Amino acid sequence: MTDETAGHWRGWRAAAEAALYGPDGFYRRPEGPAGHFRTSVHASPLFAGAVARLLCLVDEALGGPESLDFVDMGAGRGELVTGVLAALPAGVAARTRAYAVEVADRPTGLDHRVEWLSAPPQGATGLLFANEWLDNVPVEVAQVDSSGIPRLVLVREDGTELLGERVSGPEAQWLSRWWPLPAEEGLRAEIGLPRDEAWAAAVATLNRGLAVAVDYVHTADARPPFGTLTGFREGRETRPVPDGSCDITAHVALDACAPLDALPGAPLDALPRALLVRQREALRALGIAGARPPLALATTHPAAYVRALANAGEGAELTAVGGLGDFGWLVQPVGIPNPLT
């Protein structure tokens, strides 16, 4: 950011957009996201293996098309798409077209089979997978003032905040429907409308297949009273400062992103109905249990026991209550049955 914008007040959406994706933004830094925080992709190759199995289930539901697409949204430095390609059976891998969607430049040495894009391809047939993408779609923040009125929170580059105008229009409608704020001074919410729109646009690129968003999640029955906006720098949570030095993220109201089978009475919109499950449930359905191997294996096949024990530890981390297992999976079919039901 320039000296001119350093003292400039603006909404969190514009501030975070510049700090994350501007010319000198956080996501354009050479170390990439993995230099600052650890996702399920970085925790274990088991995660990529599970996504590869999901892609195979989608392939079966599609009837084994001549060309099968895998679209990795918010691809970082290509870690997930690389792992998925490595884990696919040879016959499926030979038919798979892989796309990594990311604002940063293509990493040196990335598998030549991966096409690097700034936006998802139109008309894909296969699996679109967005791991911790929506939480980095910038949103406005609202805070209740002393009169009980939700107002937009304005911020400067140094992270200093003040309250701006009253929330109005589509943003006020979104708050009223998805995150109504009681008239209590200081309560906060992140207005997830841009994420809903981003997800709808991503799903619309699929001709047939499955779209999955994996993220920190909260739902209408348990919204956090003071919001979740935070920062990450070098592996540690920190105060969110929109100067490009840290990640800026907020949990996602995934239940607002698509009509859910899990919400009786939800209105039917243009999008197909989706399923929202916890990561531990999704990964268990894809073969990751986190259970320790039988002790007898240590005697009969020691090397196999050590490998199985390591996998069990990694599987347990991916499915842990209070950890990665609490992430939400928004699973949205397009023209096929839901393979996770």
Side-chain angles (χ1 to χ4, degrees):
M1 296 184 187
T2 66
D3 291 339
E4 183 179 347
T5 63
H8 178 57
W9 295 101
R10 51 185 170 173
W12 265 107
R13 184 181 181 187
E17 183 74 32
L20 295 177
Y21 305 115
D24 299 314
F26 176 83
Y27 276 96
R28 298 185 186 277
R29 294 171 60 159
E31 72 271 19
H36 296 270
F37 54 86
R38 187 167 176 262
T39 72
S40 295
V41 178
H42 308 117
S44 170
L46 294 177
F47 188 80
V51 176
R53 285 190 288 278
L54 180 58
L55 179 57
C56 290
L57 292 176
V58 172
D59 182 48
E60 292 176 13
L62 290 167
E66 182 178 341
S67 182
L68 178 68
D69 297 318
F70 176 67
V71 182
D72 182 8
M73 294 293 298
R77 296 302 179 264
E79 298 94 336
L80 178 60
V81 67
T82 299
V84 168
L85 286 174
L88 286 173
V92 178
R95 292 186 288 110
T96 297
R97 296 183 300 186
Y99 302 93
V101 181
E102 182 57 70
V103 296
D105 294 335
R106 181 188 181 96
T108 302
L110 183 68
D111 192 314
H112 68 89
R113 293 174 293 175
V114 179
E115 187 170 348
W116 194 263
L117 303 173
S118 59
Q122 296 292 324
T125 298
L127 174 62
L128 181 145
F129 201 87
N131 185 60
E132 296 196 40
W133 170 57
L134 286 175
D135 67 293
N136 288 125
V137 173
V139 294
E140 299 290 6
V141 177
Q143 181 172 317
V144 179
D145 68 11
S146 59
S147 300
I149 297 172
R151 296 189 178 276
L152 292 177
V153 177
L154 305 182
V155 64
R156 293 193 308 195
E157 184 183 320
D158 63 3
T160 305
E161 294 182 339
L162 62 75
L163 297 188
E165 63 185 20
R166 181 175 187 159
V167 180
S168 61
E171 292 171 335
Q173 294 171 13
W174 189 95
L175 274 184
S176 177
R177 178 180 178 185
W178 293 109
W179 197 335
L181 287 169
E184 181 181 334
E185 185 177 4
L187 296 184
R188 288 168 66 115
E190 291 100 29
I191 305 174
L193 182 60
R195 293 167 172 180
D196 298 355
E197 294 170 343
W199 181 244
V203 174
T205 65
L206 278 178
N207 179 33
R208 291 178 67 218
L210 189 72
V212 179
V214 180
D215 237 308
Y216 301 94
V217 62
H218 50 69
T219 53
D221 58 345
R223 301 286 189 220
F226 301 104
T228 62
L229 187 72
T230 191
F232 282 93
R233 182 187 295 114
E234 297 177 356
R236 296 185 178 183
E237 190 169 359
T238 185
R239 175 171 168 259
V241 177
D243 62 358
S245 68
C246 66
D247 184 28
I248 298 172
T249 179
H251 294 198
V252 183
L254 282 177
D255 53 341
C257 290
L260 299 176
D261 291 334
L263 295 178
L268 288 172
D269 297 329
L271 294 174
R273 297 186 71 78
L275 178 69
L276 179 57
V277 297
R278 295 292 178 177
Q279 173 158 297
R280 55 181 162 274
E281 298 165 356
L283 291 184
R284 285 168 183 162
L286 294 169
I288 295 180
R292 292 174 63 91
L295 190 58
L297 188 64
T299 302
T300 57
H301 298 285
Y305 176 78
V306 171
R307 288 195 299 271
L309 193 62
N311 283 344
E314 293 175 5
E317 181 182 3
L318 290 172
T319 58
V321 175
L324 294 174
D326 288 348
F327 274 53
W329 280 43
L330 181 63
V331 184
Q332 189 162 346
V334 179
I336 63 170
N338 194 327
L340 281 182
T341 58

Coordinates of all heavy atoms in Angstrom, one line a residue, residues 238-292:
T238 N -2.5 -13.9 15.0 CA -2.1 -12.5 15.3 C -3.3 -11.5 15.0 O -4.3 -11.9 14.4 CB -0.9 -12.1 14.5 OG1 -0.4 -10.9 14.9 CG2 -1.2 -12.1 13.0
R239 N -3.1 -10.3 15.5 CA -4.1 -9.3 15.2 C -4.2 -9.1 13.7 O -3.1 -9.0 13.0 CB -3.7 -8.0 15.9 CG -4.5 -6.8 15.6 CD -4.1 -5.7 16.6 NE -4.6 -4.4 16.2 CZ -4.0 -3.4 15.6 NH1 -2.7 -3.6 15.3 NH2 -4.5 -2.3 15.3
P240 N -5.4 -9.0 13.1 CA -5.5 -8.7 11.7 C -5.1 -7.3 11.3 O -5.8 -6.4 11.8 CB -7.0 -9.0 11.4 CG -7.7 -8.8 12.7 CD -6.7 -9.1 13.8
V241 N -4.1 -7.2 10.5 CA -3.6 -5.8 10.1 C -3.5 -5.9 8.6 O -2.7 -6.6 8.0 CB -2.2 -5.5 10.7 CG1 -1.7 -4.2 10.2 CG2 -2.3 -5.5 12.2
P242 N -4.3 -5.0 7.9 CA -4.4 -5.1 6.4 C -3.2 -4.4 5.7 O -3.4 -3.5 4.9 CB -5.7 -4.5 6.1 CG -5.9 -3.5 7.2 CD -5.3 -4.1 8.4
D243 N -2.0 -4.8 6.0 CA -0.8 -4.1 5.4 C 0.0 -5.1 4.5 O 1.1 -4.8 4.1 CB 0.1 -3.5 6.4 CG 0.6 -4.6 7.4 OD1 0.3 -5.8 7.3 OD2 1.4 -4.2 8.3
G244 N -0.6 -6.3 4.3 CA 0.1 -7.3 3.5 C 1.1 -8.2 4.2 O 1.7 -9.1 3.7
S245 N 1.3 -8.0 5.5 CA 2.2 -8.7 6.3 C 1.7 -10.0 6.9 O 2.5 -10.9 7.3 CB 2.8 -7.9 7.5 OG 1.7 -7.7 8.4
C246 N 0.4 -10.2 6.9 CA -0.2 -11.4 7.5 C -1.5 -11.8 6.7 O -2.0 -11.1 5.9 CB -0.6 -11.2 8.9 SG -2.0 -10.0 9.2
D247 N -1.8 -13.1 6.9 CA -3.1 -13.6 6.3 C -4.2 -12.9 7.1 O -4.1 -12.7 8.3 CB -3.2 -15.1 6.5 CG -4.4 -15.7 5.8 OD1 -4.9 -15.1 4.9 OD2 -4.9 -16.7 6.3
I248 N -5.3 -12.6 6.4 CA -6.5 -12.1 7.1 C -7.6 -13.0 6.7 O -7.9 -13.3 5.5 CB -6.8 -10.7 6.6 CG1 -5.7 -9.7 7.0 CG2 -8.2 -10.2 7.2 CD1 -5.8 -8.3 6.4
T249 N -8.3 -13.6 7.7 CA -9.2 -14.7 7.5 C -10.4 -14.5 8.5 O -10.3 -13.9 9.5 CB -8.6 -16.1 7.6 OG1 -9.5 -17.1 7.4 CG2 -8.0 -16.2 9.0
A250 N -11.5 -15.1 8.1 CA -12.7 -15.2 9.0 C -13.4 -16.5 8.7 O -13.5 -16.9 7.5 CB -13.6 -14.0 8.8
H251 N -14.0 -17.1 9.7 CA -14.7 -18.4 9.5 C -15.9 -18.1 8.5 O -16.3 -17.0 8.3 CB -15.2 -18.9 10.8 CG -14.1 -19.3 11.7 ND1 -14.4 -20.2 12.8 CD2 -12.8 -19.1 11.7 CE1 -13.2 -20.4 13.4 NE2 -12.3 -19.7 12.8
V252 N -16.4 -19.2 7.9 CA -17.4 -19.1 6.8 C -18.7 -19.6 7.3 O -18.8 -20.7 7.9 CB -16.9 -19.9 5.6 CG1 -17.9 -19.7 4.4 CG2 -15.5 -19.5 5.2
A253 N -19.8 -18.8 7.0 CA -21.1 -19.3 7.2 C -21.5 -20.1 6.0 O -22.3 -19.7 5.1 CB -22.1 -18.0 7.3
L254 N -21.0 -21.4 6.0 CA -21.2 -22.2 4.8 C -22.7 -22.6 4.6 O -23.1 -22.8 3.5 CB -20.5 -23.6 5.0 CG -19.0 -23.5 4.7 CD1 -18.3 -24.9 5.1 CD2 -18.7 -23.1 3.3
D255 N -23.5 -22.5 5.7 CA -24.9 -22.8 5.5 C -25.6 -21.7 4.7 O -26.7 -21.9 4.1 CB -25.6 -22.9 6.8 CG -25.4 -21.8 7.8 OD1 -24.4 -21.0 7.6 OD2 -26.2 -21.6 8.8
A256 N -25.0 -20.5 4.5 CA -25.6 -19.5 3.7 C -25.2 -19.6 2.2 O -25.8 -18.9 1.4 CB -25.1 -18.1 4.2
C257 N -24.2 -20.4 1.9 CA -23.6 -20.5 0.6 C -24.5 -21.2 -0.4 O -24.4 -21.0 -1.6 CB -22.2 -21.1 0.6 SG -21.0 -20.0 1.4
A258 N -25.3 -22.2 0.1 CA -26.2 -23.0 -0.8 C -27.3 -23.6 0.0 O -27.2 -23.8 1.2 CB -25.3 -24.1 -1.4
P259 N -28.4 -23.8 -0.7 CA -29.6 -24.5 0.0 C -29.1 -25.9 0.4 O -28.5 -26.7 -0.3 CB -30.6 -24.6 -1.1 CG -30.2 -23.6 -2.2 CD -28.7 -23.5 -2.1
L260 N -29.4 -26.2 1.7 CA -28.9 -27.4 2.3 C -30.0 -28.4 2.6 O -31.0 -28.1 3.1 CB -28.2 -27.1 3.6 CG -27.0 -26.2 3.6 CD1 -26.5 -25.9 5.0 CD2 -25.9 -26.8 2.8
D261 N -29.7 -29.7 2.3 CA -30.6 -30.8 2.7 C -30.7 -30.8 4.2 O -31.7 -31.3 4.8 CB -30.0 -32.1 2.2 CG -30.1 -32.3 0.7 OD1 -31.0 -31.6 0.1 OD2 -29.3 -33.0 0.1
A262 N -29.6 -30.3 4.9 CA -29.6 -30.4 6.4 C -30.5 -29.3 7.0 O -30.6 -29.3 8.3 CB -28.2 -30.3 6.9
L263 N -31.0 -28.4 6.3 CA -31.9 -27.3 6.8 C -33.3 -27.4 6.3 O -33.6 -26.9 5.2 CB -31.3 -26.0 6.5 CG -29.9 -25.7 7.0 CD1 -29.4 -24.3 6.6 CD2 -29.9 -25.7 8.6
P264 N -34.2 -28.2 7.0 CA -35.6 -28.3 6.5 C -36.2 -26.9 6.4 O -36.0 -26.0 7.2 CB -36.2 -29.1 7.7 CG -35.1 -29.8 8.4 CD -33.9 -28.9 8.3
G265 N -36.9 -26.8 5.3 CA -37.6 -25.5 5.0 C -36.8 -24.5 4.3 O -37.3 -23.4 4.1
A266 N -35.5 -24.8 4.1 CA -34.7 -23.8 3.4 C -35.2 -23.6 2.0 O -35.7 -24.5 1.3 CB -33.2 -24.3 3.3
P267 N -35.3 -22.3 1.5 CA -35.9 -22.1 0.2 C -35.1 -22.7 -0.9 O -33.9 -22.8 -0.9 CB -35.8 -20.5 0.1 CG -34.7 -20.1 1.0 CD -34.7 -21.1 2.1
L268 N -35.8 -23.1 -2.0 CA -35.1 -23.6 -3.2 C -34.7 -22.5 -4.0 O -35.4 -21.6 -4.5 CB -36.1 -24.5 -4.0 CG -36.4 -25.9 -3.3 CD1 -37.6 -26.5 -4.1 CD2 -35.2 -26.7 -3.3
D269 N -33.4 -22.4 -4.3 CA -32.8 -21.4 -5.2 C -32.4 -22.0 -6.5 O -32.7 -23.2 -6.8 CB -31.6 -20.7 -4.4 CG -32.1 -20.0 -3.2 OD1 -33.2 -19.5 -3.1 OD2 -31.3 -19.9 -2.2
A270 N -31.6 -21.3 -7.2 CA -31.1 -21.8 -8.5 C -30.1 -22.9 -8.4 O -30.0 -23.8 -9.2 CB -30.5 -20.7 -9.4
L271 N -29.4 -22.9 -7.2 CA -28.3 -23.9 -7.0 C -28.9 -25.2 -6.6 O -29.9 -25.3 -5.9 CB -27.3 -23.4 -6.0 CG -26.5 -22.2 -6.3 CD1 -25.7 -21.8 -5.1 CD2 -25.6 -22.5 -7.5
P272 N -28.3 -26.4 -7.0 CA -28.7 -27.7 -6.5 C -28.6 -27.7 -5.0 O -27.8 -27.0 -4.4 CB -27.8 -28.6 -7.2 CG -27.1 -27.9 -8.3 CD -27.1 -26.4 -7.9
R273 N -29.3 -28.6 -4.4 CA -29.3 -28.7 -2.9 C -28.0 -29.4 -2.5 O -27.4 -30.2 -3.2 CB -30.5 -29.4 -2.4 CG -31.8 -28.6 -2.7 CD -33.0 -29.3 -2.1 NE -32.9 -29.1 -0.6 CZ -33.3 -28.0 0.0 NH1 -33.6 -26.9 -0.7 NH2 -33.3 -27.9 1.3
A274 N -27.4 -28.9 -1.4 CA -26.1 -29.4 -1.0 C -26.2 -30.1 0.4 O -27.2 -30.0 1.0 CB -25.2 -28.2 -0.9
L275 N -25.1 -30.6 0.8 CA -25.0 -31.3 2.1 C -23.8 -30.6 2.8 O -22.7 -30.4 2.3 CB -24.7 -32.8 1.9 CG -24.5 -33.6 3.2 CD1 -25.8 -33.8 3.9 CD2 -24.0 -35.0 2.8
L276 N -24.0 -30.3 4.1 CA -23.0 -29.8 5.0 C -22.6 -30.8 6.1 O -23.5 -31.1 6.9 CB -23.4 -28.5 5.6 CG -22.4 -27.8 6.5 CD1 -21.1 -27.5 5.8 CD2 -23.0 -26.4 7.0
V277 N -21.4 -31.3 6.1 CA -20.9 -32.3 7.1 C -19.6 -31.8 7.6 O -18.9 -30.9 7.1 CB -20.8 -33.7 6.5 CG1 -22.1 -34.2 6.0 CG2 -19.8 -33.7 5.3
R278 N -19.2 -32.4 8.8 CA -17.9 -32.1 9.3 C -16.9 -32.9 8.6 O -17.1 -34.0 8.1 CB -17.9 -32.5 10.8 CG -18.8 -31.6 11.7 CD -18.4 -30.2 11.8 NE -19.3 -29.3 12.6 CZ -19.1 -28.1 12.8 NH1 -18.0 -27.4 12.4 NH2 -19.9 -27.4 13.6
Q279 N -15.6 -32.4 8.6 CA -14.6 -33.0 7.9 C -14.4 -34.5 8.4 O -14.1 -35.4 7.6 CB -13.2 -32.3 8.1 CG -12.0 -33.0 7.5 CD -10.9 -32.1 7.1 OE1 -11.1 -31.2 6.3 NE2 -9.8 -32.2 7.8
R280 N -14.5 -34.7 9.7 CA -14.3 -36.1 10.2 C -15.2 -37.0 9.6 O -14.9 -38.2 9.3 CB -14.3 -36.1 11.7 CG -15.5 -35.6 12.4 CD -15.5 -35.7 13.9 NE -16.4 -34.8 14.5 CZ -16.2 -33.5 14.8 NH1 -15.1 -33.0 14.5 NH2 -17.1 -32.8 15.3
E281 N -16.5 -36.6 9.4 CA -17.5 -37.5 8.8 C -17.2 -37.7 7.3 O -17.3 -38.9 6.8 CB -18.9 -36.9 8.9 CG -19.3 -36.7 10.4 CD -20.5 -35.7 10.5 OE1 -20.9 -35.2 9.4 OE2 -21.0 -35.6 11.6
A282 N -16.8 -36.7 6.6 CA -16.4 -36.8 5.2 C -15.2 -37.7 5.0 O -15.2 -38.6 4.1 CB -16.2 -35.4 4.6
L283 N -14.2 -37.5 5.8 CA -13.0 -38.3 5.6 C -13.2 -39.7 6.0 O -12.6 -40.6 5.4 CB -11.8 -37.7 6.4 CG -11.3 -36.3 5.9 CD1 -10.1 -35.9 6.7 CD2 -10.9 -36.4 4.4
R284 N -14.0 -40.0 7.0 CA -14.3 -41.4 7.3 C -15.0 -42.1 6.2 O -14.8 -43.2 5.9 CB -15.1 -41.4 8.7 CG -14.2 -41.1 9.9 CD -15.0 -40.9 11.1 NE -14.2 -40.6 12.3 CZ -14.6 -40.0 13.4 NH1 -15.8 -39.6 13.5 NH2 -13.7 -39.7 14.3
A285 N -15.9 -41.3 5.6 CA -16.6 -41.9 4.4 C -15.7 -42.2 3.3 O -15.9 -43.0 2.4 CB -17.7 -41.0 3.9
L286 N -14.5 -41.5 3.3 CA -13.5 -41.7 2.2 C -12.4 -42.6 2.7 O -11.3 -42.6 2.0 CB -13.0 -40.3 1.7 CG -14.1 -39.5 1.0 CD1 -13.6 -38.0 0.8 CD2 -14.4 -40.1 -0.3
G287 N -12.5 -43.3 3.8 CA -11.6 -44.3 4.2 C -10.5 -43.9 5.2 O -9.6 -44.6 5.5
I288 N -10.6 -42.7 5.8 CA -9.7 -42.2 6.8 C -10.3 -42.4 8.2 O -11.2 -41.6 8.5 CB -9.2 -40.8 6.6 CG1 -8.4 -40.7 5.3 CG2 -8.3 -40.3 7.7 CD1 -7.9 -39.3 4.9
A289 N -9.8 -43.3 9.0 CA -10.5 -43.6 10.2 C -9.7 -43.1 11.4 O -10.2 -42.7 12.5 CB -10.7 -45.1 10.4
G290 N -8.3 -43.1 11.3 CA -7.5 -42.7 12.4 C -7.4 -43.7 13.5 O -6.9 -43.4 14.6
A291 N -7.8 -44.9 13.2 CA -7.7 -46.0 14.2 C -6.3 -46.6 14.3 O -5.7 -46.8 13.2 CB -8.8 -47.1 13.9
R292 N -5.9 -47.0 15.5 CA -4.6 -47.6 15.6 C -4.6 -49.0 15.0 O -5.6 -49.7 15.1 CB -4.2 -47.7 17.1 CG -3.9 -46.4 17.7 CD -3.6 -46.6 19.2 NE -2.5 -47.4 19.5 CZ -1.2 -47.0 19.7 NH1 -1.0 -45.6 19.6 NH2 -0.2 -47.8 19.9

